[in-house]
Amino acid sequence: MENREVARILRQTAQLLEIDGAIIGRYRSYEKAAELIYSLHERVEEVAKDRKKLTELPGIGDNMAEHIDEIIATGDYGLRQKLLKKYPATMLQVLSLQGLGPKKAAFLWKEFKAGTVEDVAKLAREQKLREVPGFGEKTEENILKAVEFFQRSTGRFRINAAEKTAEQVTEYIQKLGDQIDLITPAGSLRRGKETIGDLDFIVVPAGKSSQKKIDAICEHILKFPPIEQVLAHGENKVSFLLPNGMQVDVRVIPAESYGAALLYFTGSKEHNVALRGRANVMGYTLNEYALTTLKGGKVVAGRTEEEVYAKLKLPYIEPELREMTGEIEAAENEKLPKLITLEDIRGDLQMHTTASDGKHSIEQMAETARELGYEYIAITDHSKAVTVANGLDERRTMQQIKKIREAEKSVGGIRLLASSEVDILKDGSLDMSEEVLAQLDVVVTSVHSYMNLDRSAMTERILAAIENPYMQILAHPTGRLLLRRDPFDYDMEKVLDACRKHGVVVECNAYPDRLDLRDVHLRLAKQRGVKVVISTDAHATVQLRVMKYGVETARRGWLEARDVINTLPTGKLLAALRAKPA
Ligand code: DGT
Ligand code: CA
Ligand code: CA
Ligand code: ZN
């Protein structure tokens, strides 16, 4: 069981207990355990094998350890199930509404029997809550925003989860061996979107296609052991649902239609519509089988995507660009970007170690980075304001700089930049003295508190931080957590213009929960002349490998290698950063 899942069950139990009117100490203990396990680097399943190790974790007593054992053993928790019988199951969705909280949810249930997201939305829409003590107009507004977010995000998955499931499905289908020629993902996963609705695959049977071959392939796929429910089984298509709620659509397509089908099922829908329109104007018709002449129905392309684009008098358009945001005009004018690739990346400028909330030492991070072929990394532990992450004050930062210098010598073969992820405080000042900032090779800054400031206050705060002459990189600039937390509200254009003016670089945080800046903002940054750095924010050595998701997002933002500073060798990288005050 994943830590995330154990934490979710504990958190839901806490919330249900609070609704149920339990005393604060009781539900807080579940909440604390949930937080702890969520951010634990070891697998809780492993830790729990040794009761002593489990109870050594802060806040986990014998009772909680038993609950955790039960969750790991049964996949659920008796008390949670009991509470869920008392309240509608949809209450969990109500509780997931951002900013509502169990207290308000409990009140709405008692007072209005509101047990679904829709019930709550209706109360807010009909303005029934503004007179209620503890609510008010602002709460109504926030509830409607949260409902909108809920509706947007349910049923979607983070890219790393989608990719993992896609690998499992691919591996299983590949067991068909020489019965198939190839299997390839299409849809939003191929376009590198940061969240994925469902998985789409194209499978090509080996040799000349026949219904018999297609049937055999479909039969095999439907025997994939984890399948929870078969949703469709057509002539050349199967759809099914997996236990994690992910839907998978597989189409079996003959080789001569592979390109047309891949194009069609990669989407986006809007890009496809535009291509079909273009085809019609040129005297063709385009569908998932082929590009065909309108008169006479002669097939002119279909085997590869390149062939279809070429017949439409266009160069190949990378999947990440197929969002109908100007890619067809750019293709016509030979203005398509030469997109950055993972191989262009030479270093990683955000990661944490055991000094703050990371799992591995400076040396371990450095060794893994060297294995990845990097020329440099920056060690960026948190600053003191982030107390939950054991952030470093000035004194510890000075010690850390020393340790980084020593580690650079002992590890060898990779440049270690002394850095810190310095907190941007509520008023925009930085959480570190200028004397210490001056000692750092690179200053990464970010917001981790007061995330709900209103638009003008948040804009002022970030602009004030940018005014600090030591500030060089604005990390995870909008603070969004995918499917969990909306981005901060501020004037992005003003902030980007200030970054440009002061030579501040914006981060594309590659961590799959963040991917922040997002695609459209990266593109805006480029248009505004602001450089980007793609950093992993790794808290453990394996997480250094999430760089690929950041690169995907950068590709969706039309970025080229020259737009991204960590494609530069060390000397040029340092020169690309804002100059330190003399
Ligand atoms: P997702 O799954 O919500 O993350 O996004 P997509 O883009 O993967 O969407 P999906 O799975 O519904 O369909 C995959 C691609 O197949 C989509 O990008 C375009 C194409 N497609 C699917 N259904 C239709 C349709 O009804 N009309 C058109 N024109 N294209 C479709
Ligand atoms: Ca899809
Ligand atoms: Ca689909
Ligand atoms: Zn951070």
Side-chain angles (χ1 to χ4, degrees):
M1 219 177 172
E2 301 286 332
N3 290 4
R4 220 187 258 273
E5 290 168 61
V6 177
R8 187 173 52 96
I9 289 172
L10 289 168
R11 188 173 306 113
Q12 290 176 347
T13 307
Q15 293 172 330
L16 290 165
L17 277 171
E18 194 173 352
I19 287 193
D20 204 45
I23 56 162
I24 181 161
R26 180 128 188 262
Y27 64 76
R28 268 300 285 159
S29 65
Y30 283 94
E31 223 168 76
K32 279 194 181 138
E35 277 165 27
L36 179 90
I37 290 173
Y38 189 85
S39 55
L40 196 67
H41 290 300
E42 301 95 75
R43 280 174 67 85
V44 65
E45 218 181 277
E46 282 303 311
V47 179
K49 283 183 184 154
D50 181 349
R51 170 57 68 89
K52 207 170 144 275
K53 256 181 87 185
L54 187 58
T55 50
E56 268 166 15
L57 295 174
I60 308 280
D62 282 324
N63 279 339
M64 191 54 72
E66 243 157 64
H67 306 330
I68 292 169
D69 281 344
E70 179 187 335
I71 293 170
I72 291 169
T74 67
D76 204 343
Y77 178 48
L79 177 59
R80 172 181 172 278
Q81 286 172 325
K82 209 172 110 198
L83 288 163
L84 274 178
K85 292 216 177 77
K86 231 167 136 178
Y87 303 98
T90 48
M91 192 57 103
L92 291 175
Q93 298 176 336
V94 173
L95 284 165
S96 76
L97 291 177
Q98 271 187 77
L100 185 63
K103 240 178 227 88
K104 288 202 170 84
F107 179 85
L108 294 179
W109 171 249
K110 281 200 201 90
E111 213 56 28
F112 300 99
K113 282 282 161 287
T116 66
V117 169
E118 195 32 52
D119 291 344
V120 175
K122 196 157 170 270
L123 288 171
R125 237 181 273 124
E126 291 172 355
Q127 311 191 340
K128 296 239 168 81
L129 301 177
R130 54 188 58 193
E131 307 302 333
V132 176
F135 283 73
E137 248 177 87
K138 185 82 191 156
T139 315
E140 280 180 349
E141 234 174 73
N142 288 343
I143 287 177
L144 289 175
K145 258 196 232 155
V147 168
E148 199 251 329
F149 182 81
F150 172 83
Q151 285 160 346
R152 252 190 297 129
S153 56
T154 43
R156 296 195 72 81
F157 297 83
R158 291 178 193 83
I159 190 170
N160 56 331
E163 201 182 77
K164 191 168 157 201
T165 304
E167 278 163 15
Q168 287 159 351
V169 173
T170 303
E171 200 179 303
Y172 175 78
I173 294 179
Q174 270 166 344
K175 290 195 176 140
L176 282 163
D178 54 15
Q179 284 184 64
I180 61 167
D181 234 8
L182 62 95
I183 162 164
T184 174
S188 50
L189 183 64
R190 181 159 181 252
R191 301 202 309 281
K193 259 192 97 156
E194 65 266 60
T195 65
I196 273 88
D198 67 11
L199 296 178
D200 304 276
F201 289 96
I202 310 248
V203 174
V204 177
K208 199 172 147 43
S209 181
S210 70
Q211 192 59 46
K212 209 173 133 214
K213 280 187 185 173
I214 294 173
D215 288 342
I217 291 169
C218 290
E219 288 304 322
H220 168 79
I221 294 172
L222 290 178
K223 286 197 209 105
F224 183 42
I227 290 181
E228 197 151 271
Q229 195 191 340
V230 173
L231 300 171
H233 183 178
E235 233 170 59
N236 67 345
K237 166 186 168 151
V238 293
S239 288
F240 53 86
L241 212 54
L242 294 173
N244 60 3
M246 217 177 284
Q247 182 182 326
V248 182
D249 297 337
V250 188
R251 277 96 176 174
V252 186
I253 302 287
E256 60 273 19
S257 292
Y258 171 68
L262 185 58
L263 191 60
Y264 184 90
F265 292 111
T266 294
S268 67
K269 213 168 180 169
E270 293 73 18
H271 179 86
N272 290 353
V273 168
L275 288 187
R276 279 204 298 277
R278 185 180 178 90
N280 286 341
V281 172
M282 294 172 73
Y284 301 121
T285 160
L286 176 62
N287 61 22
E288 63 266 52
Y289 297 104
L291 182 70
T292 316
T293 55
L294 276 172
K295 274 194 226 129
K298 187 171 159 291
V299 171
V300 295
R303 197 167 277 277
T304 66
E305 284 186 329
E306 284 82 354
E307 196 179 278
V308 177
Y309 279 117
K311 285 285 181 220
L312 295 176
K313 297 213 176 336
L314 292 172
Y316 178 72
I317 300 177
E318 302 275 5
E320 292 91 340
L321 301 180
R322 300 182 196 168
E323 297 290 350
M324 240 2 231
T325 54
E327 72 275 16
I328 297 193
E329 292 85 331
E332 278 172 344
N333 301 322
E334 292 176 24
K335 289 266 164 59
L336 284 174
K338 184 178 178 307
L339 296 181
I340 181 170
T341 67
L342 187 57
E343 289 68 43
D344 292 321
I345 299 291
R346 293 186 195 235
D348 189 341
L349 296 194
Q350 198 192 153
M351 68 190 63
H352 301 261
T353 72
T354 47
S356 62
D357 58 348
K359 187 188 172 188
H360 293 111
S361 65
I362 302 171
E363 289 81 2
Q364 287 170 315
M365 298 302 277
E367 275 157 16
T368 304
R370 197 185 49 193
E371 280 162 28
L372 290 173
Y374 288 160
E375 295 171 27
Y376 50 83
I377 54 172
I379 303 291
T380 58
D381 281 296
H382 287 286
S383 67
K384 62 182 180 292
V386 193
T387 47
V388 292
N390 188 25
L392 282 63
D393 61 10
E394 280 77 3
R395 190 182 54 84
R396 286 181 64 212
T397 302
M398 288 307 292
Q399 291 169 354
Q400 176 78 346
I401 295 174
K402 220 173 124 220
K403 284 185 200 157
I404 293 168
R405 304 281 181 240
E406 285 162 10
E408 182 177 82
K409 283 192 208 115
S410 68
V411 173
I414 182 163
R415 177 75 190 272
L416 303 192
L417 301 172
S419 182
S420 166
E421 183 185 4
V422 181
D423 235 57
I424 298 173
L425 303 176
K426 190 180 176 193
D427 63 358
S429 61
L430 297 187
D431 181 30
M432 188 77 72
S433 72
E434 293 201 347
E435 292 72 44
V436 178
L437 289 174
Q439 299 300 313
L440 297 171
D441 297 323
V442 42
V443 176
V444 178
T445 66
S446 58
V447 167
H448 293 106
S449 61
Y450 300 99
M451 296 186 258
N452 293 323
L453 295 188
D454 67 35
R455 188 175 174 84
S456 73
M458 192 57 104
T459 306
E460 287 310 309
R461 177 186 188 179
I462 309 278
L463 292 177
I466 293 169
E467 288 294 326
N468 186 310
Y470 289 97
M471 197 265 205
Q472 292 174 314
I473 293 177
L474 180 59
H476 49 73
T478 77
R480 76 165 178 182
L481 292 178
L482 284 166
L483 312 180
R484 275 197 289 148
R485 183 170 79 207
D486 268 331
F488 311 145
D489 187 13
Y490 61 77
D491 187 332
M492 181 59 73
E493 301 196 10
K494 262 195 189 155
V495 165
L496 288 174
D497 286 341
C499 286
R500 183 201 152 103
K501 184 170 158 216
H502 293 290
V504 165
V505 173
V506 291
E507 183 185 79
C508 167
N509 190 295
Y511 206 74
D513 294 51
R514 292 191 183 270
L515 296 173
D516 172 25
L517 288 178
R518 55 166 305 188
D519 47 13
V520 292
H521 287 151
L522 291 170
R523 194 166 167 197
L524 191 62
K526 176 180 175 158
Q527 285 161 355
R528 297 285 169 128
V530 179
K531 293 284 184 224
V532 172
V533 60
I534 309 175
S535 307
T536 62
D537 203 350
H539 285 66
T541 51
V542 286
Q543 293 173 358
L544 289 167
R545 296 181 184 277
V546 304
M547 186 62 84
K548 60 183 173 180
Y549 305 122
V551 171
E552 270 290 1
T553 300
R555 288 167 65 85
R556 290 178 57 81
W558 293 51
L559 297 194
E560 307 190 2
R562 61 178 172 185
D563 303 315
V564 174
I565 63 164
N566 53 324
T567 61
L568 297 169
T570 319
K572 286 195 175 148
L573 166 91
L574 292 171
L577 293 170
R578 181 186 199 168
K580 292 233 155 144

Short mmCIF file of all heavy atoms in Angstrom, two decimals, residues 156 186-189 191 193 195-200 249 251 264-269 272-273 276, ligand 1:
data_model
loop_
_atom_site.label_atom_id
_atom_site.label_comp_id
_atom_site.label_asym_id
_atom_site.label_seq_id
_atom_site.Cartn_x
_atom_site.Cartn_y
_atom_site.Cartn_z
N ARG A 156 -9.27 12.62 -12.68
CA ARG A 156 -8.01 12.80 -13.39
C ARG A 156 -6.86 12.30 -12.54
O ARG A 156 -7.00 12.12 -11.33
CB ARG A 156 -7.81 14.27 -13.79
CG ARG A 156 -8.88 14.75 -14.77
CD ARG A 156 -8.51 16.06 -15.45
NE ARG A 156 -7.45 15.93 -16.42
CZ ARG A 156 -7.61 15.49 -17.66
NH1 ARG A 156 -8.80 15.11 -18.08
NH2 ARG A 156 -6.59 15.42 -18.48
N ALA A 186 -1.28 6.88 -26.77
CA ALA A 186 -1.72 8.07 -27.51
C ALA A 186 -2.35 9.02 -26.48
O ALA A 186 -1.94 9.03 -25.32
CB ALA A 186 -2.70 7.66 -28.60
N GLY A 187 -3.32 9.81 -26.89
CA GLY A 187 -4.07 10.66 -25.96
C GLY A 187 -3.21 11.68 -25.23
O GLY A 187 -2.10 12.01 -25.64
N SER A 188 -3.76 12.14 -24.11
CA SER A 188 -3.11 13.22 -23.36
C SER A 188 -1.76 12.80 -22.79
O SER A 188 -0.89 13.64 -22.57
CB SER A 188 -4.03 13.71 -22.24
OG SER A 188 -4.48 12.60 -21.49
N LEU A 189 -1.57 11.50 -22.55
CA LEU A 189 -0.27 11.05 -22.03
C LEU A 189 0.82 11.33 -23.07
O LEU A 189 1.90 11.81 -22.75
CB LEU A 189 -0.32 9.56 -21.68
CG LEU A 189 0.96 9.00 -21.06
CD1 LEU A 189 1.25 9.64 -19.71
CD2 LEU A 189 0.89 7.49 -20.91
N ARG A 191 0.73 13.57 -25.31
CA ARG A 191 0.89 15.03 -25.41
C ARG A 191 1.58 15.60 -24.18
O ARG A 191 1.80 16.81 -24.09
CB ARG A 191 -0.46 15.72 -25.62
CG ARG A 191 -1.22 15.29 -26.87
CD ARG A 191 -2.25 16.31 -27.33
NE ARG A 191 -3.15 16.76 -26.28
CZ ARG A 191 -4.20 16.09 -25.83
NH1 ARG A 191 -4.52 14.91 -26.34
NH2 ARG A 191 -4.95 16.58 -24.86
N LYS A 193 0.48 15.96 -21.11
CA LYS A 193 -0.31 16.82 -20.22
C LYS A 193 -0.03 16.48 -18.77
O LYS A 193 0.28 15.34 -18.45
CB LYS A 193 -1.81 16.61 -20.51
CG LYS A 193 -2.40 17.70 -21.36
CD LYS A 193 -3.89 17.63 -21.40
CE LYS A 193 -4.47 18.58 -20.37
NZ LYS A 193 -5.83 18.98 -20.73
N THR A 195 -2.01 16.32 -16.19
CA THR A 195 -2.94 15.34 -15.63
C THR A 195 -3.62 14.61 -16.77
O THR A 195 -3.78 15.17 -17.87
CB THR A 195 -4.03 15.97 -14.73
OG1 THR A 195 -4.86 16.81 -15.54
CG2 THR A 195 -3.43 16.77 -13.60
N ILE A 196 -4.02 13.38 -16.49
CA ILE A 196 -4.52 12.52 -17.55
C ILE A 196 -5.90 11.98 -17.16
O ILE A 196 -6.09 11.52 -16.03
CB ILE A 196 -3.51 11.36 -17.80
CG1 ILE A 196 -2.45 11.81 -18.81
CG2 ILE A 196 -4.18 10.13 -18.42
CD1 ILE A 196 -1.29 12.47 -18.30
N GLY A 197 -6.85 12.07 -18.09
CA GLY A 197 -8.20 11.57 -17.82
C GLY A 197 -8.26 10.07 -17.96
O GLY A 197 -8.65 9.36 -17.04
N ASP A 198 -7.88 9.56 -19.12
CA ASP A 198 -7.80 8.11 -19.29
C ASP A 198 -6.64 7.78 -20.20
O ASP A 198 -6.05 8.66 -20.84
CB ASP A 198 -9.13 7.52 -19.80
CG ASP A 198 -9.46 7.96 -21.21
OD1 ASP A 198 -8.60 8.54 -21.91
OD2 ASP A 198 -10.60 7.71 -21.64
N LEU A 199 -6.28 6.51 -20.23
CA LEU A 199 -5.15 6.08 -21.06
C LEU A 199 -5.67 5.58 -22.40
O LEU A 199 -6.69 4.89 -22.47
CB LEU A 199 -4.40 4.94 -20.38
CG LEU A 199 -3.71 5.28 -19.05
CD1 LEU A 199 -3.05 4.04 -18.48
CD2 LEU A 199 -2.68 6.39 -19.25
N ASP A 200 -4.97 5.94 -23.46
CA ASP A 200 -5.34 5.48 -24.81
C ASP A 200 -4.14 4.77 -25.41
O ASP A 200 -3.03 5.28 -25.32
CB ASP A 200 -5.70 6.69 -25.68
CG ASP A 200 -6.79 7.54 -25.07
OD1 ASP A 200 -7.96 7.20 -25.26
OD2 ASP A 200 -6.48 8.54 -24.38
N ASP A 249 -8.40 2.73 -22.81
CA ASP A 249 -9.01 2.47 -24.12
C ASP A 249 -7.92 1.94 -25.05
O ASP A 249 -6.90 2.61 -25.22
CB ASP A 249 -9.55 3.77 -24.75
CG ASP A 249 -10.66 4.40 -23.94
OD1 ASP A 249 -11.32 3.69 -23.16
OD2 ASP A 249 -10.88 5.62 -24.10
N ARG A 251 -7.15 0.51 -28.97
CA ARG A 251 -7.63 0.26 -30.33
C ARG A 251 -6.60 -0.57 -31.06
O ARG A 251 -5.41 -0.28 -31.02
CB ARG A 251 -7.81 1.55 -31.12
CG ARG A 251 -9.12 2.26 -30.88
CD ARG A 251 -8.91 3.30 -29.85
NE ARG A 251 -10.10 4.11 -29.63
CZ ARG A 251 -10.17 5.02 -28.66
NH1 ARG A 251 -9.16 5.22 -27.84
NH2 ARG A 251 -11.26 5.73 -28.51
N TYR A 264 -5.14 10.62 -34.81
CA TYR A 264 -6.51 10.83 -34.33
C TYR A 264 -6.59 10.68 -32.82
O TYR A 264 -7.14 11.52 -32.12
CB TYR A 264 -7.44 9.83 -35.01
CG TYR A 264 -8.90 10.03 -34.66
CD1 TYR A 264 -9.71 10.87 -35.41
CD2 TYR A 264 -9.45 9.39 -33.55
CE1 TYR A 264 -11.05 11.05 -35.09
CE2 TYR A 264 -10.78 9.57 -33.21
CZ TYR A 264 -11.58 10.40 -33.98
OH TYR A 264 -12.89 10.59 -33.65
N PHE A 265 -6.02 9.59 -32.29
CA PHE A 265 -6.20 9.30 -30.86
C PHE A 265 -5.18 10.01 -29.97
O PHE A 265 -5.27 9.94 -28.76
CB PHE A 265 -6.21 7.79 -30.61
CG PHE A 265 -7.42 7.14 -31.21
CD1 PHE A 265 -7.32 6.29 -32.31
CD2 PHE A 265 -8.68 7.41 -30.69
CE1 PHE A 265 -8.45 5.72 -32.88
CE2 PHE A 265 -9.82 6.84 -31.24
CZ PHE A 265 -9.70 5.99 -32.35
N THR A 266 -4.23 10.69 -30.59
CA THR A 266 -3.35 11.53 -29.78
C THR A 266 -4.03 12.86 -29.50
O THR A 266 -3.87 13.44 -28.44
CB THR A 266 -2.00 11.77 -30.51
OG1 THR A 266 -1.33 10.51 -30.61
CG2 THR A 266 -1.12 12.74 -29.74
N GLY A 267 -4.86 13.32 -30.45
CA GLY A 267 -5.53 14.59 -30.24
C GLY A 267 -4.54 15.74 -30.32
O GLY A 267 -3.46 15.59 -30.89
N SER A 268 -4.81 16.91 -29.70
CA SER A 268 -6.08 17.11 -29.05
C SER A 268 -7.21 17.12 -30.07
O SER A 268 -6.97 17.23 -31.27
CB SER A 268 -6.06 18.43 -28.30
OG SER A 268 -5.99 19.51 -29.21
N LYS A 269 -8.38 17.02 -29.58
CA LYS A 269 -9.56 17.06 -30.42
C LYS A 269 -9.54 18.32 -31.30
O LYS A 269 -9.84 18.26 -32.49
CB LYS A 269 -10.77 17.10 -29.50
CG LYS A 269 -11.98 16.39 -30.01
CD LYS A 269 -12.95 16.28 -28.86
CE LYS A 269 -14.22 15.57 -29.24
NZ LYS A 269 -15.00 15.26 -28.02
N ASN A 272 -7.16 18.03 -34.10
CA ASN A 272 -7.71 17.13 -35.11
C ASN A 272 -8.75 17.83 -35.98
O ASN A 272 -8.78 17.65 -37.20
CB ASN A 272 -8.38 15.92 -34.45
CG ASN A 272 -7.37 14.98 -33.80
OD1 ASN A 272 -6.17 15.17 -33.95
ND2 ASN A 272 -7.86 14.00 -33.08
N VAL A 273 -9.61 18.59 -35.31
CA VAL A 273 -10.66 19.29 -36.06
C VAL A 273 -10.01 20.22 -37.10
O VAL A 273 -10.43 20.27 -38.26
CB VAL A 273 -11.58 20.08 -35.09
CG1 VAL A 273 -12.48 21.05 -35.84
CG2 VAL A 273 -12.40 19.12 -34.24
N ARG A 276 -8.62 18.18 -39.98
CA ARG A 276 -9.68 17.70 -40.87
C ARG A 276 -10.20 18.81 -41.77
O ARG A 276 -10.45 18.61 -42.95
CB ARG A 276 -10.83 17.10 -40.04
CG ARG A 276 -10.55 15.68 -39.59
CD ARG A 276 -11.83 14.91 -39.32
NE ARG A 276 -12.62 15.51 -38.24
CZ ARG A 276 -12.38 15.26 -36.95
NH1 ARG A 276 -11.42 14.45 -36.59
NH2 ARG A 276 -13.12 15.83 -36.02
P1 DGT B 1 -7.86 13.01 -21.33
O1 DGT B 1 -8.01 11.54 -21.49
O2 DGT B 1 -9.08 13.68 -20.81
O3 DGT B 1 -6.67 13.37 -20.53
O4 DGT B 1 -7.61 13.67 -22.77
P2 DGT B 1 -7.41 12.97 -24.18
O5 DGT B 1 -6.96 14.05 -25.11
O6 DGT B 1 -6.58 11.77 -24.06
O7 DGT B 1 -8.88 12.64 -24.61
P3 DGT B 1 -9.63 11.27 -24.90
O8 DGT B 1 -9.07 10.13 -24.14
O9 DGT B 1 -11.07 11.55 -24.72
O10 DGT B 1 -9.41 11.01 -26.43
C1 DGT B 1 -8.15 10.76 -26.96
C2 DGT B 1 -8.02 11.43 -28.28
O11 DGT B 1 -8.89 10.81 -29.22
C3 DGT B 1 -8.45 12.88 -28.24
O12 DGT B 1 -7.37 13.72 -27.88
C4 DGT B 1 -8.96 13.10 -29.62
C5 DGT B 1 -9.51 11.77 -30.04
N1 DGT B 1 -10.96 11.67 -29.85
C6 DGT B 1 -11.59 10.92 -28.95
N2 DGT B 1 -12.91 11.01 -29.08
C7 DGT B 1 -13.11 11.87 -30.06
C8 DGT B 1 -14.28 12.40 -30.68
O13 DGT B 1 -15.41 12.09 -30.31
N3 DGT B 1 -14.08 13.27 -31.68
C9 DGT B 1 -12.85 13.62 -32.09
N4 DGT B 1 -12.70 14.50 -33.05
N5 DGT B 1 -11.75 13.16 -31.55
C10 DGT B 1 -11.87 12.29 -30.54
#
